[in-house]
Amino acid sequence: MSETFQFGMIGLGTMGRNLALNIADHGYSVLGLARSEEKAHHFASYAEGRALSGIADNKLFIAKLEKPRVVMTLVPAGDAVDEVIAELSQYMEPGDFFIEGGNSHYRDTERRAAELAKKGLGFIGIGVSGGEKGARVGPSMMAGGTLENYQRVQPILEAIAAKYDGDPCVALLGKGGAGHYVKMVHNGIEYGLMQLIAEAYDLLHRGSGFSNQAISDLFQTWTDGPFGGFLTQITADVLKVKDESGQDLVDLVLDRAKQKGTGKWTSQDALDLGIPIPTIDAAVSARQMSGLKDERVRAQQSIGRDVRGSVGSSDDARQVEEALHLAFLITYAQGISLLKAASIEHGMEIDLEGSARVWRAGCIIRAKLLEPIRDALNQSGGVDNLLVAPTFQSVVFSGHAELAGLVVKGANLGIPTPCLSASLAYLEGYRTGRLPANLIQAQRDYFGAHTYERTDKAGSFHTEWGPN
């Protein structure tokens, strides 16, 4: 193998392989680094006329890349990324640089960029969304780092990215770890939307007696509506698949959801920044609750409650549709508010409109809502929160009663609605000018002399609240 290659790929699992094939399809030569000769040959077998090959020697891998070298890692987040960088950087030269495309924590991305800069090596973090199919035909990609580094690979990234009306769904969204931060928040929103859909399914299925096929038909219809997108479409697809026995396959899937941690990271950073994202928080907790399968089964036997739903009607379907529309908007609004705060606190200068723009196609949370969200964020002066944007006020007013009614219905039937309830609470809290936090401040001053502020005069005050 004497030829050189324009792009190096490390991590040849399904995502890495598909992304490499996507890059090769667009006329770039790609060399993959495998752990063994056998795996290198296997990767090379996908070439089929493309300029694509594999190798199992680290030093030779770097030597076969055109200078300045571009190496992309798609390995599990954490120590594996650092190990790959440490091993390969010893063979690289100033001007070469890494692209980290896994689900790395944004602080790790910033640390790696700083460490490699000392060696004259460039580094950018890119959040890649779309799953294995997206990687193959066009993912959404969220980049962070310097403009100089981004521009070096911009033509490749724009060529392989998903397109929305011809606009590539990839962009430099800010400084430092901004790309991975935006991807982290994307995943948090994803958690929220998926749990909202699951709760809607539960209310329709157990609460209103709709069959899986009937619910599939509803989600198919909603996919073409104002909030529809990838997640509503795959829900429609999932609900109509049969097992080989003829049963609905979804009914045979164990109700224990796993997670890789990015939703938790979103909640943790929001807590650190003091930004409320209760729908996303509730979605993380709901997955944790699902993990208590054995305990839940025992608890049902001792303190369980029978769900006695009614016969479903078109009114039930309409209520869920309008409630989901509003709850989806609230979830996006929470994510955008976190990006806005992080942009300031972390000095990332995150492009909010750009984030919504690259989410419009290719990624998991792509939906029709994102185009009006992008428009709202692009308005002169912006808005405090998407919920108060003129574009969405009609959604807030028309969907509120349906969302509230759905939460009440779930409570009456014994069907948990953690994300629907959290979305409703967020809306009500955000649009309430005076919350009962005045009592909390008085309590804190009572037991800890923490002081409080007043509405009628400036300053901090302390009162001896108890009996003398």
Side-chain angles (χ1 to χ4, degrees), residues 339-358:
L339 289 179
K340 185 177 180 180
S343 178
I344 298 170
E345 180 67 22
H346 300 316
M348 293 178 177
E349 299 181 11
I350 294 174
D351 182 352
L352 301 181
E353 183 272 333
S355 300
R357 178 162 31 88
V358 302

Side-chain angles (χ1 to χ4, degrees), residues 116-280:
L116 288 170
K118 296 176 182 177
K119 301 179 180 181
L121 300 176
F123 181 93
I124 56 174
I126 296 183
V128 180
S129 179
E132 58 187 67
K133 290 183 179 179
R136 185 67 187 86
V137 301
S140 168
M141 292 177 286
M142 296 143 261
T146 67
L147 179 60
E148 179 185 6
N149 276 340
Y150 178 72
Q151 288 176 335
R152 290 174 60 182
V153 290
Q154 185 175 359
I156 298 178
L157 298 177
E158 291 187 349
I160 68 172
K163 307 297 189 296
Y164 183 91
D165 289 343
D167 187 16
C169 289
V170 60
L172 180 65
L173 298 177
K175 298 179 178 180
H180 279 131
Y181 196 95
V182 173
K183 176 57 163 51
M184 179 189 75
V185 173
H186 163 286
N187 286 15
I189 293 171
E190 176 186 311
Y191 273 54
L193 300 184
M194 291 176 71
Q195 179 63 29
L196 286 168
I197 288 172
E199 292 171 21
Y201 153 76
D202 203 13
L203 286 162
L204 288 168
H205 193 49
R206 289 200 296 156
S208 298
F210 281 71
S211 68
N212 289 325
Q213 181 61 57
I215 301 171
S216 172
D217 293 341
L218 288 174
F219 273 96
Q220 188 64 61
T221 299
W222 297 342
T223 296
D224 297 326
F227 67 92
F230 176 73
L231 287 172
T232 55
Q233 179 62 67
I234 67 170
T235 302
D237 294 341
V238 163
L239 289 171
K240 61 187 178 185
V241 173
K242 300 288 186 181
D243 179 65
E244 58 268 14
S245 66
Q247 293 178 268
D248 292 343
L249 181 55
V250 71
D251 291 337
L252 302 175
V253 176
L254 184 66
D255 58 320
R256 185 160 57 208
K258 297 180 180 179
Q259 53 185 319
K260 292 185 177 180
T262 48
K264 181 179 68 175
W265 289 351
T266 309
S267 291
Q268 288 173 330
D269 210 65
L271 284 170
D272 290 340
L273 294 176
I275 301 299
I277 54 167
T279 305
I280 296 170

